[in-house]
Amino acid sequence: MQRRDRERIPVRYCTLGTRDAARDPHTLVELSAFSVINRFQPFNVAVSSNVLLLMDFHCHLTTSEVVGYLGGRWDTNTQCKSDHFCNYCTNKQQIGG
């Protein structure tokens, strides 16, 4: 018998409030553009082609949500996060869910 997860509904960022122990750390947050709040994006993200290839490959191998971690470097001068490696998770137990 396969375990069915409850339906996960994204919430708006403004409703999150502060972090506490009772909040699910894997809450889905609705995306919104910085232009909606009349601001510019305060940082840039660069992802290497190898990381993009591995993420795309992982997406094609799973029938559920894709979960994993990106890693790289943060440059304080340019405000740029560059991702050079990724680690995909095969199940929610690997991320503590």
Side-chain angles (χ1 to χ4, degrees):
M1 183 177 207
Q2 188 177 18
R3 182 180 151 222
R4 293 190 77 102
D5 293 326
R6 67 183 190 283
E7 184 68 25
R8 295 176 65 175
I9 300 171
V11 298
R12 294 184 62 100
Y13 178 78
C14 61
T15 64
L16 287 177
T18 58
R19 290 186 189 180
D20 59 9
R23 180 174 305 284
D24 179 9
H26 306 295
T27 300
L28 297 177
V29 179
E30 182 180 296
L31 297 177
S32 59
F34 280 96
S35 60
V36 171
I37 56 174
N38 294 324
R39 292 191 175 194
F40 291 107
Q41 179 176 320
F43 56 88
N44 288 313
V45 178
V47 182
S48 76
S49 58
N50 289 342
V51 169
L52 291 173
L53 180 66
L54 189 56
M55 288 190 309
D56 186 54
F57 186 68
H58 180 53
C59 291
H60 285 68
L61 293 178
T62 185
T63 57
S64 63
E65 62 188 351
V66 177
V67 180
Y69 298 99
L70 296 175
R73 298 189 188 280
W74 172 253
D75 186 342
T76 56
N77 295 328
T78 62
Q79 297 291 295
C80 182
K81 180 183 184 297
S82 55
D83 292 318
H84 301 287
F85 60 91
C86 64
N87 182 18
Y88 63 91
C89 299
T90 57
N91 60 42
K92 292 181 182 179
Q93 295 302 321
Q94 288 183 306
I95 59 169

